[in-house]
């Protein structure tokens, strides 16, 4: 039996972002992204790709005539938008926004069919083809997002209409799927409903939802392969059939073997992350050791050889936006879909709740501050779907094997999963900061906030102040006290943390357990804890097995991974060589990129000894230049151009 | 007017390879490749991809029933095989081989239609669609290769049957295409017939063939774009229509603007090389300065930023086996099609004949010894279509963006243009060694051979002995003399050549003109010239604009570019660092790879300070190891594995 200590997150009732880094981004999500995305979904933004997502619902509801437009998963954009809204109005009412949300929910109810079925694509385009293409048609995927939105909206507003809609939908699904011979022994082509059903179970206490989630997870990958069998029964000349899905095979949807036999992360990255998240949620509910075993093996596999330093995951467009194999992490061709990093945050969060081990919160933090945030522009209006670690705009514009890499963020996408995903993570951010067990309050992330929670039957109140991730200090103060253990994460990147309790320095090392400094006492009002987390500029290298990073190094300070841009350093960043002699120093620049710490130092720039020759035997010219690195998440918010995370690194000369 | 000195090649009548490097490979072509390829074309090799090329002819000739199989250009495999045979029997009769060739020619004559049309694909599959898809269907391409084969066969054997077949074909084509309003103002989708028609003109002296070649070249790229107009007239639901050709656009076939306005090499590499070759042939015939101007600009564009160090050209599969843009030369994703390097050899050769400038013979030599020869295994039975400069077999097997890169040579291909191209270049190799003007004999390549040619009305005979490319000395002796200029190429890679005439050292520098040491005298029997071409191991770097090679170096010795293989150096070649301190030394190994010079030296191998971590801040472990480099053209003739041309290179420490 595996020792573990589980916790549950502090929910949005219990946490307030008061000011600072994530508070500002959350406000941007509520004030900018949510209204903007609403306009996109209603096709009101000139020049943006057409969405038609709300119109699809109107047509399905019979309120207007027309034809379906968009992808088979178009409904999910509306669901995720509603979910973002739900979090945004949770404890911060906004009557106008809530009215719009209520109207959309009304509309969804009308678009829902008599028997509970809800999927505008199928209803409007292929009404006779319900449940005949689980592999591709995303009916269960859309249901999952609807469920998550309904749960969030109920938790935020107490309103039950949306919940009733999705319960009718799930009852319909429950009638269609299951082990009984009269039912389909299938499971979704794109995992999502599994984790959603567990949320539905938690808020309704109806066991049948947990059982359905478990069924979908357990059935996946069993023989004979459902998607293969299902395909045989489909008419071959269906004009809507997407041929490319066949060529990716079963690993694409992690349906090549039963989940408990999967030891390697592979396939479509978002599918994988959502599935592993659901498996972790299931382990949280059932306490199943075998499942946790598998999750830890999968986690190790990812961390050891399949994760970009930015928290990006997924390294091949052509393999199906997929995780491929160990150490296959090209920087320029990276996929690193924003949704996949969001999924990694979800998964890391659940693993954290299962184990209280900081190795999970370390990755969660890395992903949040780097590969997640890079997915949206600083002004909240444009997005990256793909988050590369090396960009040469000309190559992205010309080479077909870089066609998936945009050198500028976009207003929207034909496949528009990322923007609403960014919004819903930002508006629900509070739940990732703290968690608690019966007697322990965990602090996983450092950002100005206030937490109020019941521990040991006391109401505890704690306030956090910090200039993180730019500044090195965190101040905690108790507003309402009691007997409990305060567990403070020591970030894995921090070499020498110091902790003071009411001005007395503590012996960190003796108090650390699984990466958390644990202080157990009777906490009094105005007790203070201070952490000092030194943030030198770190030179990071990759395991030599990662061929694409051989001879290179990346810069990191605290949780922030850095990159170099053309706008600061000139074109052809591959001509720059950094080393320990670069002596990078951190400078806070409040007039740049919204106020960030930039890194400045020296580098060598190589120049051709002869411009006209492509290959030569002479030495390059070298000159010393000043270079500037900016946080990776801020790249491409100024003039577009080249970008590079992994820089040529010269080892120091031996004496 | 541009100053130039033109020459004509010594033909196969006039040159004998006597022994040594190219002689052995030529014998391999005749004794191994030609019979093997004949068996492939007749589907007699178990396990090899189906060809059906000869059967297509039999079916079109009515000798057997059946259906067409293969690509639209399948006929060209037979034509190129015949061309290889022609050169092989030129002055070295082989009655058995000639009989087979005669039978195939007979068959081709029967497959030819009454009106001269010859294209088995169209005749058997889409007989009503003649000339309706010039962009894709390769009718003119196949005609071009038939013409080349017929010309070669006539020159080799004096037999005219094949020539008559192709003249009927060309007359048919001449009736179809031309400026007259009754004709089609089109040109081939895949350039080839242009250069073939010029060869036909030379052997028949019929001006109409030259005019047709000129028409095709001049008409290309004129408004409105023929392939676009042609496409509009085609029925859209033709099941044979290949959709991918539309997405590449006009630059793919270099038909985006008239040839004299093209200043950048772009598009499908083989098409480009064949077109530039034809343009150079046209310039040789017409003396047109504007054309030579364009060719020199195109040449400079290629040499400056679009050529791999191995003489490979073409850097993107997805862009259409294409040349993309300046400095876009990724090593692992390289296309570098064997046929494209062969085309580069053709083009370089023609430019050389136009100008007598060694910059062209330097590239011709580089291509021949590296990117061309790598296309065939040392035993002559397997081929590479794509010639990468970096191979990680696992990545090639898994990543779709590396699907075009095989980590082992293949028995044949569905698109089988490369093997017969290799064979015909090897059996005609003699023509690339020497050329002459009225009074000058040029030696472009060093390999044991004998040349007999008329200069200034004398018959001159010269013998060349050398251990090139492994040994540094070349010995020339005059068998029959006279008054003429002997022009010896000083290879561009040679820093300090020495030349002796009858044991007296000459002042090279004063005698060099456009890279050739020119010795004008009355040559007597037994006059001897010796060249000493020192071949130190050279460390070659790329212009820093070539981002993919930043921080790296390649090894070269004489004309041979080297590479490192896993079989000699272990896996993960990216963990090796070489430098000037590597002190690479050349060693002749006669028991390895057929007898080659290998390079041995020291390198540093990096190892992980912690195997389990992907990113870390510690220094790597380093250890000194012995490494071995082999000639690039010999890679993958032992155990398959990783390969790397561009190695990490550490600059020396400054004192």
């Amino acid at each position: 039996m595996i020792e573990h200590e589980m916790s549950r997150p502090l929910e949005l009732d219990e946490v307030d972002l008061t000011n600072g880094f994530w508070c500002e981004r959350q406000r941007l999500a509520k004030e900018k992204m949510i209204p903007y995305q609403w306009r996109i979904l209603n096709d009101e933004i000139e020049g943006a790709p057409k969405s038609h997502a709300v119109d699809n619902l109107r047509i399905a509801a019979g309120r207007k005539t027309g034809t379906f437009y968009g992808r088979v998963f178009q409904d999910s954009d509306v669901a995720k938008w509603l979910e973002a809204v739900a979090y945004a109005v949770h404890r911060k009412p906004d009557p106008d926004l809530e009215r719009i949300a209520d109207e959309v929910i009304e509309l969804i109810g009308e678009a829902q069919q008599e028997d509970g079925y809800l999927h505008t694509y199928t209803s409007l385009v292929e009404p006779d083809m319900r449940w005949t293409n689980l592999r591709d048609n995303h009916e269960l995927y859309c249901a999952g997002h609807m469920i998550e939105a309904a749960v969030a909206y109920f938790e935020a507003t107490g309103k039950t209409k949306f919940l009733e809609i999705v319960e009718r939908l799930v009852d319909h699904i429950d009638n269609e799927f299951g082990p009984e011979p009269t039912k389909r022994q299938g499971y979704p082509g794109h995992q999502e409903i599994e984790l959603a059903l567990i949320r539905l179970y938690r808020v309704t206490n109806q066991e049948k939802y947990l059982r359905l989630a478990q069924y979908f997870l357990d059935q996946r990958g069993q023989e004979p392969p459902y998607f293969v069998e299902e395909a045989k029964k489909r008419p071959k000349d269906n004009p809507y059939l997407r041929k490319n899905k066949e060529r990716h095979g079963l690993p694409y949807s992690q349906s090549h073997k039963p989940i408990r036999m999967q030891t390697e992360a592979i396939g479509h990255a978002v599918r994988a992350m959502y599935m592993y998240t659901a498996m972790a949620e299931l382990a949280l509910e059932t306490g199943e050791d075998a499942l946790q075993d598998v999750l830890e093996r999968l986690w190790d596999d990812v961390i050891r050889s399949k994760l970009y330093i930015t928290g990006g995951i997924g390294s091949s467009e052509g393999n199906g936006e997929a995780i491929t194999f160990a150490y296959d992490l090209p920087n320029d061709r990276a996929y690193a879909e924003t949704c996949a990093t969001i999924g990694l945050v979800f998964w890391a969060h659940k693993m954290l709740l299962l184990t209280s081990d900081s190795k999970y919160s370390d990755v969660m933090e890395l992903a949040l501050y780097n590969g997640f945030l890079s997915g949206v522009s600083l002004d909240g209006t444009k997005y990256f779907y793909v988050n590369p670690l090396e960009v040469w705009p000309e190559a992205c514009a010309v080479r077909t094997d870089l066609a998936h890499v945009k050198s500028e963020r976009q207003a929207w996408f034909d496949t528009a999963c990322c923007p609403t995903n960014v919004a819903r993570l930002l508006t629900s951010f509070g739940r990732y900061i703290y968690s608690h067990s019966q007697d322990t309050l965990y602090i996983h992330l450092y950002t100005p906030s206030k937490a109020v929670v019941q521990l040991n039957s006391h109401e505890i109140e704690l306030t956090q102040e910090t200039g993180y991730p730019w500044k090195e200090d965190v101040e905690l103060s108790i507003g309402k006290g009691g007997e409990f253990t305060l567990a403070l994460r020591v970030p894995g990147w921090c070499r020498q943390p110091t902790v003071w309790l009411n001005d007395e320095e503590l012996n960190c090392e003796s108090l650390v357990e699984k990466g958390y400094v644990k202080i157990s006492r009777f906490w009094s009002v105005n007790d203070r804890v201070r952490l000092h987390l030194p943030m030198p500029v770190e030179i990071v290298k990759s395991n030599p097995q990662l061929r694409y990073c051989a001879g290179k190094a990346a810069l990191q300070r605290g949780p922030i991974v850095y990159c170099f841009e053309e706008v600061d350093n000139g074109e052809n960043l591959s001509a720059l060589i950094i080393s320990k002699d670069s002596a990078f120093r951190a400078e806070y620049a409040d007039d740049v990129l919204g106020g960030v710490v930039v890194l400045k130092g020296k580098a060598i720039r190589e120049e051709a000894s002869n411009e006209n020759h492509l290959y030569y035997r002479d030495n390059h010219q070298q000159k010393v230049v000043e270079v500037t690195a900016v946080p990776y998440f801020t790249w491409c918010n100024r003039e577009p151009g080249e970008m590079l995370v992994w820089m040529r690194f010269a080892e120091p000369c031996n004496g």
Side-chain angles (χ1 to χ4, degrees), chain A residues 142-190:
Chain A
C142 289
H145 280 302
M146 286 289 175
I147 292 165
E148 289 202 82
V151 165
Y153 202 70
F154 169 70
E155 289 177 335
T157 65
K159 292 172 179 171
T160 57
K161 185 173 171 72
F162 203 178
L163 210 55
E164 287 158 13
I165 290 168
V166 302
E167 287 197 82
R168 276 200 301 276
L169 169 57
V170 175
D171 286 344
H172 171 83
I173 292 169
D174 205 23
N175 284 339
E176 284 286 333
F177 295 94
E180 299 88 330
T182 50
K183 295 187 179 179
R184 301 173 198 268
Q185 276 100 50
Y187 38 86
H190 192 312

Side-chain angles (χ1 to χ4, degrees), chain A residues 64-81:
Chain A
K64 72 188 280 187
T65 54
T67 50
F68 179 92
Y69 176 86
R71 299 279 202 256
V72 293
F73 40 77
Q74 213 75 351
D75 293 347
S76 68
D77 293 345
V78 177
K80 287 153 75 185
W81 181 83

Side-chain angles (χ1 to χ4, degrees), chain A residues 14-239:
Chain A
E14 299 164 309
V15 179
D16 251 326
L17 299 184
T18 51
N19 65 82
F21 191 90
W22 290 107
C23 177
E24 283 162 23
R25 282 159 177 77
Q26 192 172 75
R27 191 178 56 234
L28 193 71
K30 184 171 181 183
E31 295 177 5
K32 264 289 193 43
M33 293 183 209
I34 283 175
Y36 175 82
Q37 292 179 9
W38 177 242
R39 295 184 63 208
I40 288 264
L41 295 175
N42 286 278
D43 302 305
E44 288 171 16
I45 305 274
E46 191 85 20
K50 185 169 165 183
S51 166
H52 206 261
V54 184
D55 264 354
N56 288 337
L57 287 163
R58 291 192 182 103
I59 294 163
R63 288 197 199 175
K64 72 188 280 187
T65 54
T67 50
F68 179 92
Y69 176 86
R71 299 279 202 256
V72 293
F73 40 77
Q74 213 75 351
D75 293 347
S76 68
D77 293 345
V78 177
K80 287 153 75 185
W81 181 83
L82 281 169
E83 188 183 348
V85 167
Y87 300 133
V89 303
H90 196 138
R91 286 183 58 210
K92 292 188 170 74
D94 183 333
D96 293 328
L97 193 52
E98 214 170 307
R99 186 177 50 249
I100 294 172
D102 287 334
E103 284 168 4
V104 179
I105 290 162
E106 188 82 33
L107 182 59
I108 289 170
E110 290 174 34
Q112 184 171 36
Q113 300 194 295
E114 285 297 320
D115 56 359
Y117 184 86
L118 175 60
H119 192 241
T120 64
Y121 167 78
T122 305
S123 306
L124 297 179
V125 180
E126 301 191 77
D128 301 327
M129 301 298 278
R130 283 187 185 183
W131 310 123
T132 57
N133 189 350
L134 299 189
R135 187 190 71 191
D136 302 342
N137 282 5
H138 284 66
E139 293 154 286
L140 295 170
Y141 172 86
C142 289
H145 280 302
M146 286 289 175
I147 292 165
E148 289 202 82
V151 165
Y153 202 70
F154 169 70
E155 289 177 335
T157 65
K159 292 172 179 171
T160 57
K161 185 173 171 72
F162 203 178
L163 210 55
E164 287 158 13
I165 290 168
V166 302
E167 287 197 82
R168 276 200 301 276
L169 169 57
V170 175
D171 286 344
H172 171 83
I173 292 169
D174 205 23
N175 284 339
E176 284 286 333
F177 295 94
E180 299 88 330
T182 50
K183 295 187 179 179
R184 301 173 198 268
Q185 276 100 50
Y187 38 86
H190 192 312
Q191 300 90 317
E192 155 60 21
I193 196 174
E194 304 90 336
L195 64 87
L197 283 166
I198 295 172
R199 292 184 71 182
L200 187 62
Y201 157 68
R202 289 188 184 130
V203 85
T204 60
N205 271 313
Q206 301 261 29
E207 286 265 347
K208 58 181 175 172
Y209 300 139
L210 179 65
R211 275 201 309 272
L212 185 56
Q214 189 145 20
Y215 177 75
F216 282 141
L217 284 168
D218 291 346
Q219 189 60 16
R220 193 173 207 86
Q222 300 293 347
E223 288 287 327
Y226 189 86
F227 299 145
V228 174
E229 297 306 298
E230 170 192 68
K232 292 178 187 166
K233 297 187 202 134
R234 276 199 295 274
K236 297 261 172 292
D237 57 0
N238 182 334

Side-chain angles (χ1 to χ4, degrees), chain A residues 569-597:
Chain A
N569 303 294
E571 62 114 38
N572 194 4
L573 301 168
S574 74
L576 294 171
I577 310 169
I578 63 175
S579 68
K580 285 208 164 78
D581 297 339
S582 293
F584 280 103
R585 63 194 181 279
E587 275 184 24
Y588 186 78
D590 59 20
D591 56 335
V592 164
L593 294 163
V596 295
V597 166

Side-chain angles (χ1 to χ4, degrees), chain A residues 474-495:
Chain A
V474 183
E475 308 261 347
L476 308 165
S477 59
I478 302 297
K480 291 183 184 157
E483 181 85 37
F484 70 93
T485 300
L486 184 62
L488 312 173
R489 173 173 151 259
V490 180
W493 50 258
C494 186
R495 296 175 190 261

